[in-house]
Amino acid sequence: MKRYWITYSATRQASPMSYNVLMPSSHRVAEGYPMLWVEIDDFTFRFASVHEVQHMIDVFRPLMLPRRHVWPDGSVSEFRNQNSHWLSRLPAEVKARKFRLKTIEYLEEILPEVKPLMPVDQAV
């Protein structure tokens, strides 16, 4: 089963990948700060911005998952600390190629609907 929903909070919330994406999170709308939740086959992803959705698509797309982290400025760093990157915290079944392809397909399908609901600040 695949579905998504957006919740709103009075305060800005970070998602598991917010630190690694280093892009502006969504700004406050009338209802509060938006958080996107995406459920695919009983696993739920959480995104604080559309930048994080796009980042996941970019990371999940290659045949092999990265062993190093590439920052938005192009610099590269090794995953030095266990569980220091959002990708290392995902269960093995979510990292499987078949699950990643299903995730990419669904995220690309919902992205046009979600973008207007999660406006992004221009400054970090």
Side-chain angles (χ1 to χ4, degrees):
M1 183 170 103
K2 297 182 275 191
R3 67 186 181 120
Y4 78 90
W5 65 96
I6 295 177
T7 59
Y8 297 91
S9 172
T11 59
R12 191 180 304 263
Q13 303 291 316
S15 78
M17 65 173 51
S18 292
Y19 170 76
N20 299 103
V21 175
L22 298 179
M23 295 297 286
S25 61
S26 298
H27 73 263
R28 185 177 175 85
V29 293
E31 300 88 351
Y33 292 97
M35 181 70 68
L36 172 65
W37 302 80
V38 178
E39 182 181 339
I40 300 173
D41 294 345
D42 296 325
F43 184 84
T44 305
F45 296 98
R46 184 174 52 153
F47 303 97
S49 73
V50 293
H51 293 294
E52 293 178 8
V53 176
Q54 188 59 55
H55 181 69
M56 176 169 274
I57 291 169
D58 294 343
V59 169
F60 271 25
R61 189 174 307 281
L63 182 62
M64 302 293 292
L65 289 173
R67 291 184 177 194
R68 296 187 271 165
H69 179 70
V70 179
W71 295 96
D73 67 1
S75 63
V76 177
S77 64
E78 298 288 334
F79 295 150
R80 296 172 201 262
N81 300 327
Q82 196 172 20
N83 282 330
S84 66
H85 188 267
W86 63 267
L87 191 56
S88 66
R89 296 176 184 208
L90 294 177
E93 59 269 11
V94 172
K95 297 182 207 178
R97 180 78 173 144
K98 184 176 179 180
F99 193 95
R100 291 184 331 206
L101 290 174
K102 186 186 302 187
T103 302
I104 291 168
E105 180 182 320
Y106 188 61
L107 291 177
E108 287 178 336
E109 177 185 323
I110 68 168
L111 199 54
E113 299 170 29
V114 168
K115 275 186 179 182
L117 303 174
M118 298 184 73
V120 177
D121 290 332
Q122 296 305 310
V124 177

